[in-house]
Amino acid sequence: MDSREKILRRIREALSVKAPARHLDHGQTGSMGVPPVNGAARSVGDGSLQTGGTPVLPDGCAVAHSPTDWLPPVPENNDGRVSLFEKNSADLKTEVRHCADAAAVASELALLARENGWKSVASHSFEMGNAAVQSLGLPVVRTDREYQTSDLEKCAAGISGCDCLVAQTGGIMVTAASAGGRALSVLPPHHIVIASRSQLVGDLADAFALLRKAHNGVPAFVSFITGPSRTGDIERILVLGAHGPKKLTVLVLEN
Amino acid sequence: MGTESIQFHRDADRLTHDLRHRGLIQKALGGYYVKRDEQKAKYTDWQEARTSAAAAKYEAVNHLDKYLLELTEKLEARGTKVFWAADGAEAAEYISSVARNAGVKRIIKSKTMTGEEIHLGPALEKAGLEVVESDLGEFIVQLREEPPYHIVFPSMHLTRGEIDETFQKKLGSPHADTPEELTMIARGVMRQKYCQADMGMSGANFAVAETGHISITENEGNARLSTTLPKVLVSIVGIEKVIPKLEDLAVLLPMLATAGAGQNMTCYNTLLGGPRQPGETDGPTEFHVVLLDNKRTSLLADAEQRDALHCIRCGACLNVCPIFKNIGGHSYGTTYQGPIGSVITPHLRGLQSWKHLSFSSSLCGACHEACPVRIDLHHHLLQNRRNAIAEKSVWWEKPIFAGFAWFMRRPALYRLAAPMLRLGAPVLHAIRGKFFDPARMWTGTRDLPPAPPQSFKEYWRKRNG
């Protein structure tokens, strides 16, 4: 018998005994699994587990909730989401710059190039970035066609698009298709994301929904980037740029 | 006592009295508490979020066969090779053969506790491969030839001075004063390693059955580089890491970040569902996922403690544990430290050899309260104690308790004994914990309360008499 069958057999044997769904007791179960005398009786069934705890309102009617309802709240409107994204970005040390139009994106990018003294950049073909990257007049390593890792490693900045920006976490969702492959957004020391205001979504669940819709099935590479690379491994003191980018800049196109 | 227990008591005793060590841990954790509480306060309802997270894991663990098969099928559909390993030896053998077949010489590894658990690094080195750890904390302890101190913060017991010394000695780097400089030294070393390595190795925090992805959570970007640049990638995944749906991550990822490090979200959360696909220009051309049992099915078979498999390895229970804070991570002598380690190690490595960890607990319940997936940790410690005694009782405990019960049921005898005990108290105090004390194992680390001048009965008689 191979290990796969052996493991599956052990699992099925083990699962023939049902485990108590103790998380539904909200920790009120007494020692050794004995329910407390005054513990609230809660229904235990596979159907009710998916939504987690269902709160009971004062008038006694239960309301079905999605598990993500318990996470930090997210505004419904786009403006609120943009400002929440900005606030989270500030905490994460992600730089957010607003650009009124495509021309502003190009000038903002040129400004970044001057400020940071870029000698070469890496990028891929994407609508919002093409013109701006070209107007830099710097050598460009393209990662959406065959490229050498060593060439990408030498670039001062990686400029990419993304699938969406996540307001709740201050994160950026990238896939190989939206961000020029798997390495562009993590190997160069400065990552610049160009996104439009309409790409703001509320939370991770929204991002997943978008992922399913935009791609033909969830792609093989998806990453949520939440701030520049960081570590606290030495005396729990925050240092940016542990292995990935030291700087992360998001250019938000207003329309 | 077994050797594990003797070593544990010796190390725990030494570190409990080490004030420098205690200061370091308290400073590191003090910052964590502040950030965690700030972050938790942002949740609409942290307690309900915990229940939701627990529900997702409960569903997965209690239908493990179904979800593992779904995961395997979906991973294979995109060209990933899935290998099921019953134990560490099988996993190491498979990974060595993958390396051999692909002509691999150098491996870059991103922190994996599952890999630590089966001593994967040393096993691969023995097979003639160079294995370099890329996570900064883990890299530091690897250079020092130490095990990780904490499942999330492997080098939290070290000062910058000690790390500087290690770097100078092992890397020949110049003296560095700040965490920033030290981090940049490691970054420089590692950059070359990423580009030279022909195989990457990682663990996984979750594996999504529905879509066939593993999910890796990290702050540094080392896992992204390790899983992107080398041509071959192997990820080692404990079978309990599987979750049913992609949407479950919408709750689990933020909660892992908050409970684990007081973050809103960890810096990089990456889903990997296959090697380089048609149309992609980078990423590994070969991707292997090793699903590891290594006694997890024994824990699964214990329905009472099955929820210990919900664990997402956030380390929150370590950070709040009064035992961990005093004895530190290395004293445990286990891969997984703290309350969760004390609960699961007896299942993974033998109850009789590791039962002492379940006795080293204040049963305060702080671990249970901190756990983002509501594992009933402190009750599991009690259950381990019960199981250990039921399996192998201590011969002198039963007669002692029987004698105590016999004595306590006889008031006349008790009345007689009280003044005698008072007379003997100075002697007891004098020999307490010393060689002549027959109960020194108990009294050596505990206070003997002073004998009262009179008993309640005597007081009552006098008052009314």
Side-chain angles (χ1 to χ4, degrees):
Chain A
M1 198 190 311
D2 72 349
S3 290
R4 171 176 156 145
E5 291 314 310
K6 209 159 66 189
I7 294 168
L8 283 170
R9 199 198 48 193
R10 282 194 213 143
I11 291 172
R12 285 169 185 149
E13 258 167 43
L15 292 180
S16 62
V17 183
K18 209 168 151 44
R22 216 173 278 131
H23 54 280
L24 296 179
D25 301 337
H26 276 219
Q28 288 167 21
T29 307
S31 159
M32 314 306 257
V34 182
V37 181
N38 59 352
R42 302 188 72 133
S43 70
V44 177
D46 284 1
S48 69
L49 293 174
Q50 285 301 305
T51 48
T54 304
V56 178
L57 295 179
D59 61 359
C61 64
V63 182
H65 274 264
S66 147
T68 49
D69 289 351
W70 312 119
L71 299 179
V74 180
E76 285 295 328
N77 60 340
N78 186 255
D79 283 353
R81 288 182 176 186
V82 171
S83 56
L84 180 59
F85 179 81
E86 277 188 318
K87 191 179 162 294
N88 282 327
S89 294
D91 291 344
L92 293 161
K93 309 208 181 334
T94 305
E95 185 188 22
V96 180
R97 296 187 182 191
H98 292 275
C99 307
D101 51 27
V105 171
S107 60
E108 226 24 92
L109 200 61
L111 185 64
L112 279 167
R114 275 201 307 280
E115 282 170 359
N116 295 283
W118 295 344
K119 299 269 185 301
S120 64
V121 297
S123 190
H124 66 111
S125 174
F126 66 110
E127 207 195 314
M128 267 183 286
N130 286 343
V133 171
Q134 209 173 9
S135 69
L136 284 176
L138 292 169
V140 182
V141 173
R142 291 277 302 266
T143 58
D144 48 359
R145 52 175 87 128
E146 279 293 296
Y147 73 95
Q148 292 297 316
T149 304
S150 51
D151 292 338
L152 177 61
E153 213 267 324
K154 288 187 198 102
C155 292
I159 303 159
S160 81
C162 68
D163 283 85
C164 63
L165 307 175
V166 186
Q168 188 181 58
T169 62
I172 300 153
M173 184 172 80
V174 297
T175 54
S178 73
R182 302 189 187 194
L184 176 63
S185 56
V186 73
L187 195 56
H190 191 164
H191 180 206
I192 293 91
V193 178
I194 305 176
S196 79
R197 200 183 170 87
S198 59
Q199 282 181 285
L200 245 299
V201 301
D203 60 10
L204 294 178
D206 294 346
F208 291 138
L210 189 87
L211 202 56
R212 290 176 195 272
K213 217 167 64 188
H215 300 267
N216 184 21
V218 181
F221 169 81
V222 183
S223 192
F224 290 91
I225 301 170
T226 315
S229 157
R230 62 196 56 219
T231 184
D233 274 346
I234 302 174
E235 294 185 7
R236 310 290 312 132
I237 291 167
L238 179 72
V239 177
L240 296 182
H243 293 287
K246 297 175 190 179
K247 286 186 188 173
L248 175 62
T249 307
V250 183
L251 301 182
V252 182
L253 184 62
E254 288 300 318
N255 47 28
Chain B
M1 279 200 287
T3 51
E4 292 89 355
S5 173
I6 291 168
Q7 169 134 14
F8 172 77
H9 283 98
R10 201 183 51 218
D11 292 353
D13 187 46
R14 181 170 52 81
L15 280 170
T16 305
H17 294 95
D18 183 341
L19 293 182
R20 181 182 159 277
H21 171 261
R22 185 184 298 219
L24 274 171
I25 301 313
Q26 286 183 347
K27 188 169 158 246
L29 291 177
Y32 161 82
Y33 298 141
V34 173
K35 283 178 65 192
R36 178 203 58 187
D37 289 346
E38 269 174 23
Q39 200 52 48
K40 266 165 73 174
K42 290 186 189 164
Y43 279 65
T44 303
D45 192 328
W46 172 255
Q47 297 304 334
E48 290 293 350
R50 287 175 73 206
T51 305
S52 298
K57 290 293 291 191
Y58 180 92
E59 167 66 21
V61 167
N62 285 282
H63 302 88
L64 198 54
D65 51 340
K66 179 179 116 184
Y67 290 120
L68 283 173
L69 287 172
E70 191 182 357
L71 173 73
T72 303
E73 187 194 317
K74 296 283 164 61
L75 274 168
E76 285 172 345
R78 277 200 217 83
T80 307
K81 296 203 173 66
V82 180
F83 179 78
W84 298 55
D87 54 29
E90 270 187 31
E93 199 182 310
Y94 176 75
I95 298 170
S96 311
S97 78
V98 167
R100 231 181 0 257
N101 293 341
V104 167
K105 299 218 163 41
R106 282 177 285 245
I107 299 177
I108 187 106
K109 181 171 156 286
S110 76
K111 181 172 180 289
T112 151
M113 289 313 295
T114 311
E116 280 301 320
E117 174 189 324
I118 60 170
H119 309 292
L120 193 53
L124 294 174
E125 277 169 358
K126 226 170 163 185
L129 297 154
E130 182 197 274
V131 183
V132 177
E133 175 56 57
S134 58
D135 174 84
L136 178 60
E138 200 88 8
F139 175 63
I140 293 166
V141 295
Q142 191 193 30
L143 286 180
R144 295 173 63 91
E145 293 171 32
E146 282 177 15
Y149 181 91
H150 181 293
I151 56 175
V152 178
F153 316 128
S155 60
M156 77 184 277
H157 61 302
L158 298 170
T159 60
R160 65 186 82 182
E162 288 164 316
I163 295 165
D164 176 38
E165 210 172 282
T166 304
F167 279 8
Q168 289 192 41
K169 206 167 97 191
K170 300 277 172 134
L171 303 174
S173 60
H175 167 72
D177 277 321
T178 62
E180 165 109 44
E181 286 173 73
L182 289 165
T183 303
M184 290 311 133
I185 290 170
R187 181 185 168 108
V189 171
M190 221 51 85
R191 280 270 146 169
Q192 295 158 12
K193 298 283 182 192
Y194 289 121
C195 297
Q196 290 165 354
D198 21 37
M199 182 164 134
M201 217 161 69
S202 82
N205 295 82
F206 303 99
V208 186
E210 178 205 10
T211 62
H213 285 82
I214 63 162
S215 171
I216 304 175
T217 296
E218 48 139 1
N219 273 311
E220 298 180 0
N222 62 311
R224 278 198 61 192
L225 290 166
S226 307
T227 58
T228 298
L229 300 182
K231 62 180 195 253
V232 183
L233 170 62
V234 179
S235 299
I236 178 145
V237 184
I239 52 173
E240 85 287 10
K241 291 285 175 5
V242 73
I243 53 167
K245 303 188 310 289
L246 188 62
E247 275 66 22
D248 293 328
L249 289 179
V251 176
L252 289 167
L253 295 179
M255 292 192 71
L256 172 60
T258 300
Q263 287 177 282
N264 182 342
M265 183 86 160
T266 317
C267 195
Y268 298 102
N269 285 281
T270 306
L271 292 163
L272 293 175
R276 186 184 301 190
Q277 302 292 298
E280 281 194 77
T281 55
D282 53 13
T285 49
E286 239 183 81
F287 180 30
H288 302 259
V289 168
V290 177
L291 295 175
L292 180 75
D293 176 358
N294 207 32
K295 298 272 178 73
R296 282 163 175 74
T297 43
S298 313
L299 183 50
L300 191 74
D302 185 345
E304 193 176 45
Q305 295 192 38
R306 188 176 294 161
D307 66 346
L309 288 169
H310 294 183
C311 178
I312 57 173
R313 308 279 187 258
C314 66
C317 60
L318 282 65
N319 300 341
V320 298
C321 178
I323 308 301
F324 179 87
K325 284 190 274 185
N326 278 289
I327 70 172
H330 284 153
S331 302
Y332 288 83
T334 56
T335 310
Y336 306 104
Q337 311 84 9
I340 186 66
S342 301
V343 167
I344 66 175
T345 306
H347 293 269
L348 304 180
R349 292 167 73 179
L351 178 58
Q352 292 307 324
S353 300
W354 297 96
K355 63 181 176 188
H356 56 276
L357 297 179
S358 297
F359 288 90
S360 309
S361 163
S362 63
L363 301 176
C364 63
C367 47
H368 174 219
E369 207 174 289
C371 179
V373 289
R374 291 192 182 277
I375 302 172
D376 203 1
L377 287 159
H378 62 306
H379 288 138
H380 295 335
L381 293 171
L382 274 176
Q383 288 151 1
N384 276 345
R385 295 182 185 188
R386 179 200 63 199
N387 296 347
I389 299 297
E391 197 181 275
K392 192 177 161 204
S393 62
V394 183
W395 65 267
W396 47 263
E397 269 186 359
K398 259 198 183 144
I400 282 193
F401 278 109
F404 179 71
W406 181 84
F407 173 76
M408 291 303 280
R409 282 199 304 265
R410 279 159 186 79
L413 213 59
Y414 189 86
R415 229 174 2 250
L416 209 69
M420 274 166 63
L421 210 63
R422 211 151 44 229
L423 276 175
V427 183
L428 284 179
H429 276 283
I431 65 163
R432 182 177 71 86
K434 302 217 175 78
F435 179 75
F436 304 103
D437 183 359
R440 63 181 175 278
M441 270 189 37
W442 176 266
T443 53
T445 52
R446 289 167 179 88
D447 283 333
L448 188 64
Q454 59 182 351
S455 71
F456 178 74
K457 272 188 173 171
E458 287 163 346
Y459 160 78
W460 195 253
R461 209 180 307 121
K462 266 189 221 152
R463 185 176 176 270
N464 295 324

